[in-house]
Amino acid sequence: MAVREILTVPNPILKQVSEPVETVDEELRTLMDDMLDSMYAADGIGLAAIQVGVPKRVIVMDLDWGKGERNPRYFVNPVLSEPSDNLVPYEEGCLSVPSYFDEVERADRIQVDYIDYHGKPQREIAEGMYAVCIQHEMDHLEGVLFIDHLSRLKRQRAVQKVKKLVKQREQDAA
Ligand code: K2U
Ligand code: ZN
């Protein structure tokens, strides 16, 4: 398994709409394993394949790993439905928009249909942080970032902040 580079704004690849997966095979499982390694290495709790430059409808998540345990979850060709009418605000971040956080409102309950790591169809109801994270990741599969839900000014400030941070990281690494 390997840690892959996580793309950051304003990389245009992040705006691509990801394509459905044809087959859950060993190659796809390697991608999902690498995505999980990359997410853990970046202290994230979710990651979409497009964030490592692969335009496939694949998401990984681990809502427990920050609590000292690992509970990896894999979502192939996920579909969300029946969102609750109750929208709740949450201070979101994104591994592709590092160091910027802001409030986004999302449904506090939503149905998730997906294919799992072994190719078996699954259906779950997501609530709480699970609901927030799966909606955030599903946005990535449509080429949408959480800052796209904010004002133009906030979005511009976020991109400028990330560009400055990435430039500083590159200088420090040189
Ligand atoms: O897509 C990503 O970059 C992964 C996000 C997932 C996420 C965003 C907003 C709310 C919940 C999850 C990263 O994990 S951002 C880092 C983070 C970690 C814990 C809680 C919130 C954000
Ligand atoms: Zn994100």
Side-chain angles (χ1 to χ4, degrees), residues 7 13-14 16 18 48-56 58 140-141:
L7 306 182
I13 293 174
L14 292 167
Q16 283 183 25
S18 297
I50 195 65
Q51 293 181 271
V52 293
V54 178
K56 290 183 178 180
V58 179
H140 277 298
L141 302 188

Side-chain angles (χ1 to χ4, degrees), residues 6 39 42-48 51 60-63 65 90-97 100-102 106 129-134 136-138 140 145-146:
I6 294 175
M39 183 195 79
D43 287 333
I45 60 173
L47 193 71
Q51 293 181 271
V60 298
M61 191 184 300
D62 188 337
L63 302 175
W65 97 274
Y90 187 83
E91 183 89 354
E92 296 194 12
C94 181
L95 299 177
S96 295
V97 190
Y100 187 83
F101 297 86
D102 215 324
R106 299 194 191 265
M129 178 60 83
Y130 183 7
V132 173
C133 190
I134 196 67
H136 176 109
E137 301 309 336
M138 282 297 294
H140 277 298
L145 298 169
F146 84 98

Side-chain angles (χ1 to χ4, degrees), residues 9-117:
V9 294
N11 192 315
I13 293 174
L14 292 167
K15 304 302 285 177
Q16 283 183 25
V17 177
S18 297
E19 294 295 322
V21 168
E22 298 290 332
T23 312
V24 180
D25 55 16
E26 282 314 309
E27 183 181 349
L28 191 79
R29 280 187 276 270
T30 297
L31 168 64
M32 293 191 283
D33 292 340
D34 287 356
M35 286 171 63
L36 213 52
D37 284 345
S38 306
M39 183 195 79
Y40 288 138
D43 287 333
I45 60 173
L47 193 71
I50 195 65
Q51 293 181 271
V52 293
V54 178
K56 290 183 178 180
R57 301 186 78 81
V58 179
I59 291 166
V60 298
M61 191 184 300
D62 188 337
L63 302 175
D64 297 323
W65 97 274
K67 303 162 191 164
E69 57 190 89
R70 289 200 172 187
N71 179 23
R73 311 172 65 103
Y74 311 83
F75 303 85
V76 177
N77 294 341
V79 175
L80 302 186
S81 60
E82 301 188 21
S84 59
D85 295 331
N86 186 36
L87 301 183
V88 290
Y90 187 83
E91 183 89 354
E92 296 194 12
C94 181
L95 299 177
S96 295
V97 190
S99 79
Y100 187 83
F101 297 86
D102 215 324
E103 200 167 271
V104 175
E105 283 197 344
R106 299 194 191 265
D108 66 356
R109 187 178 189 277
I110 197 159
Q111 181 168 272
V112 191
D113 287 286
Y114 65 95
I115 299 169
D116 69 15
Y117 190 83

